[in-house]
Amino acid sequence: MERKLYELNRFDTDTQASLIEPQALAAGTTNSIWLGMANYNKAIFVIQGGAANDAAATLDVLVREAQDNVGGGAQAITGKAITQVVADVGFATLNDLWLIHVETPEMDVNNVYTHLQLQVIVSTDDTWEISAICMRQTRRYEPAPTTQVTELID
Amino acid sequence: MGAERALYERDRHDGDVIAEVGTACIFVPADHVAVTRYSATVNMQGHDRVLFEILGGAAGATGDTIIISVQEATAEGAEGAVAAAGSRALASGAKITTLPATAGAGFATRNDLWLIEVRSEEMDVDNLFNFLQLKVVTTGTGWVVGAVAQRSIASYEPVATTNVTEVVP
């Protein structure tokens, strides 16, 4: 029998339901919890954006990696950030959807980076309606299959 | 051998163009106060499954409730207080959350994720019900809710035997 979409991938986090529950995020940096990627080879962060409070409000969203579930050695992953968004004149009726895709070979697996986090930054004195989930695909391949192999002949 | 496709290539996560306006989120995250609200519709032609991912944040008070269900419709419709044309509960059987979900003592710090999966064969395709939308009913002082629809490309016809006299498998 064909598997359901909710069986193909994991939609909740390791310790809670939504990664970032819908809310008016305050100014400053909001970090999601850390998601373990040991049993997964792909993840897609699905970020929804609603209204901002001001036309000049800005939003940055990026993915970081760490060596454990408390952020040890946390660092940004190159190329896994949206272009900064400016709310502009339509700030009260914004409807945005951002997708950030990460595959485990893009993580620093050799240095034991095993966890991912979503970081959202709202500009000073502003707010932005944000929510986010992360969908993780069960691992089918080794993230870095040739770490200790001398040579791979394909 | 080709590269494995990205997750965002395999399924569609955004909404449709409705009345010449592109729709990103089918239900924009916002605080909904004692209201019945419909998501933007998603056209299921060309797709065989959809997973509605409904995210819930804080409610306003202990006794606030929320009911989320899926409706099928014969035409597109934008997010709002008015249902799309012909919108009704699925004739094949209700797709609805446990009634009602009450906010409870932890109403201010709630974090919920409801997943509702619908297959196209559960829709009344024969009678042109090609669209789906969420119906979200909140009572009390409000509930912050947002939703995304993830649609999977059709591998099969939704109703393969509409005009076939008999199928002998």
Side-chain angles (χ1 to χ4, degrees):
Chain A
M1 186 168 70
E2 195 176 5
R3 305 304 291 270
K4 302 277 190 181
L5 289 175
Y6 60 78
E7 293 177 303
L8 288 174
N9 301 295
R10 183 167 184 180
F11 291 85
D12 60 345
T13 75
D14 300 325
T15 56
Q16 64 189 44
S18 304
L19 186 63
I20 298 178
E21 66 273 25
Q23 58 189 285
L25 278 187
T29 300
T30 299
N31 292 318
S32 77
I33 60 170
W34 291 96
L35 298 171
M37 289 295 291
N39 296 318
Y40 306 94
N41 60 235
K42 294 183 190 178
I44 184 166
F45 292 85
V46 182
I47 308 111
Q48 298 177 271
N53 69 313
D54 185 272
T58 65
L59 183 75
D60 292 278
V61 184
L62 62 144
V63 176
R64 303 203 303 163
E65 60 181 348
Q67 295 166 318
D68 53 42
N69 65 354
V70 292
Q75 60 188 20
I77 303 178
T78 303
K80 300 301 176 181
I82 66 169
T83 303
Q84 185 180 74
V85 182
V86 180
D88 213 345
V89 295
F91 65 90
T93 56
L94 291 173
N95 179 344
D96 291 292
L97 184 67
W98 300 282
L99 306 177
I100 303 179
H101 192 263
V102 179
E103 299 187 20
T104 46
E106 298 174 308
M107 299 172 64
D108 190 0
V109 176
N110 283 352
N111 289 308
V112 203
Y113 278 81
T114 55
H115 288 71
L116 296 176
Q117 174 192 68
L118 190 70
Q119 183 175 84
V120 182
I121 304 169
V122 178
S123 47
T124 304
D125 295 329
D126 292 318
T127 61
W128 208 303
E129 291 278 355
I130 295 289
S131 60
I133 62 170
C134 180
M135 187 172 79
R136 290 175 283 176
Q137 182 186 70
T138 299
R139 192 173 91 173
R140 299 190 185 95
Y141 305 104
E142 287 297 316
T146 61
T147 304
Q148 308 297 337
V149 172
T150 305
E151 181 180 358
L152 172 65
I153 302 167
D154 193 345
Chain B
M1 185 166 66
E4 192 174 347
R5 307 301 291 271
L7 292 176
Y8 57 81
E9 292 177 299
R10 197 191 67 193
D11 296 323
R12 185 167 181 180
H13 292 83
D14 61 344
D16 298 320
V17 174
I18 298 173
E20 300 182 354
V21 177
T23 303
C25 308
I26 61 164
F27 203 80
V28 180
D31 193 3
H32 299 284
V33 182
V35 69
T36 295
R37 193 167 177 86
Y38 298 87
S39 75
T41 55
V42 288
N43 190 340
M44 289 299 290
Q45 290 183 305
H47 300 90
D48 62 20
R49 291 183 293 174
V50 59
L51 183 69
F52 290 99
E53 301 151 17
I54 306 107
L55 294 79
T62 304
D64 291 352
T65 65
I66 186 167
I67 302 170
I68 306 161
S69 59
V70 177
Q71 310 230 136
E72 56 184 357
T74 54
E76 66 184 25
E79 179 183 344
V82 179
S87 188
R88 65 180 189 189
L90 288 170
S92 62
K95 293 281 185 175
I96 190 165
T97 56
T98 304
L99 304 176
T102 304
F107 65 88
T109 56
R110 287 195 70 93
N111 179 336
D112 293 288
L113 179 63
W114 296 277
L115 303 179
I116 304 178
E117 179 150 345
V118 180
R119 298 190 331 272
S120 54
E121 52 259 46
E122 296 175 295
M123 299 167 63
D124 188 3
V125 176
D126 280 353
N127 290 307
L128 303 181
F129 282 85
N130 296 320
F131 299 85
L132 293 175
Q133 71 179 160
L134 291 174
K135 177 181 177 181
V136 180
V137 181
T138 57
T139 66
T141 51
W143 208 306
V144 186
V145 182
V148 172
Q150 179 184 338
R151 287 176 283 178
S152 181
I153 293 293
S155 302
Y156 304 100
E157 287 296 317
V159 182
T161 60
T162 304
N163 298 304
V164 173
T165 306
E166 180 180 355
V167 173
V168 179

